[in-house]
Amino acid sequence: VTLQDVAKAAMVSPTTASYILNGRSAEMRISADAEVRVRQAAERLGYRPNRSAQNLRTATTRTIGLISDSVASGHYANNMLRGASAEAGERGHLLLISETGGDPKTERDVLDEMLDRQVDGLIYATLVTLEIDPPLLPEVPPVVLLNCTVLGDTTRRSVLPDEHGGGRTAARLLLDAGYGERVDVIGLDPNLRALAGPARFRGIVDELVERGLPKPTVVATDWDVVEARTAVGSWLREGARPEAVICLNDRIAMGALQAFESAGLRVPDDVSLVSFDGSELAGWLRPRITSVTIPYTRLGEVAARMVLAPDEFDSAQQLVAMPVLEGDSVRVRTP
Amino acid sequence: VTLQDVAKAAMVSPTTASYILNGRSAEMRISADAEVRVRQAAERLGYRPNRSAQNLRTATTRTIGLISDSVASGHYANNMLRGASAEAGERGHLLLISETGGDPKTERDVLDEMLDRQVDGLIYATLVTLEIDPPLLPEVPPVVLLNCTVLGDTTRRSVLPDEHGGGRTAARLLLDAGYGERVDVIGLDPNLRALAGPARFRGIVDELVERGLPKPTVVATDWDVVEARTAVGSWLREGARPEAVICLNDRIAMGALQAFESAGLRVPDDVSLVSFDGSELAGWLRPRITSVTIPYTRLGEVAARMVLAPDEFDSAQQLVAMPVLEGDSVRVRTP
DNA sequence: CTGTTAGCGCCTTCAT
DNA sequence: ATGAAGGCGCTAACAG
């Protein structure tokens, strides 16, 4: 059942029907009578516009493409998808997704594929926050970088968690609880390509230093439960007596927790702990970990909004705040 | 740059160009000369077919829609997306996704939206394995149910993990290690709508009973770390002395582990443990948990394949085997 | 206020 | 072996 049919049934021309069904009857001053007839006919015949035809005609698809290295595989990052999808849906768009596995060739192919399909916008997302070398992204349709940024390019739109601010938050959490003389940071790994760790660390340092407090000591470890357990274990065996630690993510926190436990240290009684990510894991551990959350859903939402309504943003670079997920891993210090 | 342009540049008619570019030159016996000219022209001009036009003309979009209650939010289930996307990609299709949050109204809207867009197939996925009341799904395009099934409908295509077989596997894991007189199952929750628990349990029971072993005892608990910890805790306090337990999922295993530890029971020295899901969590725990894995990626792949190539399947109901993720939580019993 | 007309870019039957 | 012509369903000038 085509627009023609509806028009015929309502005894108007296709044009009139088109305008009415697209909610533009006002600007054409169409008779209320015709309007009703058309709407009823459409309803009665179960008319649905043919999107392919509309697409061809308008060179627009109400579709936004999301290319990712592996967003849909990450265990939390998928919330980015959810957020983006929801926001896109709000605005009458659907999400076309594809993963590249990080392979540049597939990346190009997928990109072309999406452009061929005339997506109205593109989100280029990475699982882990990082700096990328500019892939050959077009200027039209609008592209937004999600969870990544192009080194030194401030004009390219991008959405990132405010890791630095998150670092400050984490530090403040401990400072407010009375710790300050010494804060230990677990998990800085100089080898990682990811931006998150260093940014979080700088945030922590800045917060401490601004208050005239000493820089934190650092325990290096991979971002992995088992590695962290081992690293913290030997650190403790070397005689460390931490009172307040910041783990650079929840998996490290889990490993640290296990190590503390093995060493007879109790959280939060003997050592207070704060971490990052705000994953479900933080809530599963005992005690529940207080964690500075990566706002994945929000990131996705903002990215989609940025694609569909760039004008609603003043800056091309959007930092999304990292809220705190409260747990029971911080004890207020009583002197 | 349109097909016209290419044809003109190659000095052939659009028809000829079309046939060549669609790899159908053979069936039209087009001159090798023309073929080369067209291909070169296309290459030189950077010709890309207009998908919208093709869509309109062929009433086909090389697109498959994936509607889910919240797949993209689950912490592992997103691998379904990955699998589906990869398989679709293999076959030259892109995935159009949308979440409904389980709301029937949005569900209908999204469905219509996808049909309007002429998707070539649909996957209807649920995060948790369950039986659903038939939503108003069409017969065309082909629809495949992913991780869910319509009560009593055996014609409807669906893809599910073989939970029952997984239950057997879990039981066998323990039996092969020398346990058998008593196996305890933790996590059966009669209130849950999900199919997985009961199916896993039946698999376990069947395996035991077939070998003439007693039925397992059951500890009821929610599928949640904290609940499980509490439930197992009181179970132990009531005097239970388990030797071999099957946790109905990894989060329960985590809770149970914590409870065992609190009670001074060590895994696997004092009690052997097997669980389900095969999530990353299983590898993070100490000891690493041996877990019967939900093959999410595979499920997604199979679903996509089923949509695009139904003929490759003999049965409408596909059960995907649940492989074992080996951990260190089972000790071979020495009598 | 409404209808006529002309494509959007491609595929495909039919004629040559 | 190739070209001409029509139409997929819709929108938007332009006329009335």
Side-chain angles (χ1 to χ4, degrees), chain B residues 3 15 24 47 50 54 57:
Chain B
L3 184 61
T15 314
R24 300 175 53 188
Y47 169 74
N50 180 321
Q54 290 183 320
R57 188 59 236 260

Side-chain angles (χ1 to χ4, degrees), chain A residues 1-333:
Chain A
V1 43
T2 74
L3 184 61
Q4 291 275 0
D5 301 330
V6 174
K8 209 167 296 174
M11 298 180 302
V12 298
S13 78
T15 313
T16 309
S18 172
Y19 273 94
I20 292 172
L21 262 15
N22 289 336
R24 301 174 53 188
S25 46
E27 66 191 79
M28 274 295 140
R29 291 181 303 171
I30 285 175
S31 71
D33 186 45
E35 167 119 24
V36 174
R37 289 202 319 272
V38 168
R39 291 206 181 283
Q40 284 183 346
E43 175 78 15
R44 184 160 46 80
L45 301 181
Y47 169 75
R48 305 239 91 210
N50 180 322
R51 260 317 199 323
S52 292
Q54 290 183 318
N55 293 348
L56 176 58
R57 188 61 234 254
T58 61
T60 232
T61 56
R62 307 220 124 226
T63 274
I64 117 170
L66 167 7
I67 301 179
S68 61
D69 52 354
S70 57
V71 192
S73 332
H75 278 202
Y76 335 100
N78 40 60
N79 280 335
M80 291 200 301
L81 262 193
R82 195 243 285 270
S85 170
E87 182 69 24
E90 290 292 314
R91 297 172 185 256
H93 287 243
L94 243 36
L95 223 55
L96 208 47
I97 64 161
S98 194
E99 287 191 28
T100 65
D103 176 47
K105 161 108 174 72
T106 17
E107 201 161 84
R108 274 204 52 103
D109 289 351
V110 166
L111 182 65
D112 284 343
E113 189 68 23
M114 295 230 172
L115 293 176
D116 288 352
R117 286 179 142 86
Q118 314 216 62
V119 292
D120 297 343
L122 270 170
I123 298 178
Y124 182 91
T126 52
L127 173 60
V128 170
T129 306
L130 37 73
E131 264 164 359
I132 53 175
D133 356 308
L136 310 86
L137 296 171
E139 284 306 318
V140 283
V143 177
V144 171
L145 266 28
L146 178 50
N147 214 24
C148 55
T149 176
V150 174
L151 194 62
D153 184 342
T154 55
T155 56
R156 172 70 71 189
R157 286 183 228 284
S158 67
V159 184
L160 291 162
D162 180 10
E163 306 280 6
H164 185 270
R168 284 181 174 276
T169 304
R172 218 169 313 127
L173 242 21
L174 253 22
L175 296 178
D176 290 351
Y179 305 91
E181 297 92 71
R182 213 186 92 208
V183 168
D184 298 301
V185 173
I186 303 175
L188 195 65
D189 180 346
N191 304 323
L192 248 39
R193 264 208 325 158
L195 254 51
R200 289 170 189 180
F201 185 68
R202 280 198 306 277
I204 296 167
V205 171
D206 287 354
E207 186 72 22
L208 291 174
V209 168
E210 273 178 23
R211 305 206 187 189
L213 298 169
K215 285 196 181 183
T217 55
V218 174
V219 180
T221 170
D222 234 355
W223 286 25
D224 172 83
V225 178
V226 179
E227 299 286 335
R229 184 165 69 225
T230 310
V232 173
S234 39
W235 180 53
L236 293 175
R237 239 170 286 115
E238 286 163 11
R241 286 290 124 204
E243 266 195 289
V245 304
I246 299 178
C247 296
L248 253 24
N249 84 358
D250 287 340
R251 299 205 299 288
I252 293 175
M254 180 170 174
L257 222 53
Q258 294 172 342
F260 287 147
E261 201 159 310
S262 297
L265 291 174
R266 309 193 331 152
V267 175
D269 302 319
D270 302 316
V271 30
S272 284
L273 189 156
V274 170
S275 83
F276 289 88
D277 277 5
S279 62
E280 286 194 341
L281 186 56
W284 291 343
L285 296 170
R286 180 181 50 173
R288 288 176 5 236
I289 301 300
T290 295
S291 187
V292 178
T293 301
I294 304 179
Y296 282 119
T297 308
R298 200 75 221 303
L299 289 169
E301 283 172 10
V302 173
R305 202 149 72 84
M306 213 167 188
V307 164
L308 297 177
D311 301 344
E312 293 180 16
F313 297 85
D314 43 354
S315 158
Q317 324 257 41
Q318 291 295 319
L319 290 184
V320 179
M322 303 180 73
V324 174
L325 174 70
E326 288 289 351
D328 317 303
S329 59
V330 176
R331 184 181 56 91
V332 175
R333 192 189 207 178

Side-chain angles (χ1 to χ4, degrees), chain B residues 258-278:
Chain B
Q258 295 173 343
F260 287 146
E261 202 160 309
S262 296
L265 290 175
R266 311 198 325 157
V267 176
D269 302 320
D270 302 315
V271 30
S272 285
L273 187 156
V274 171
S275 82
F276 289 88
D277 277 6

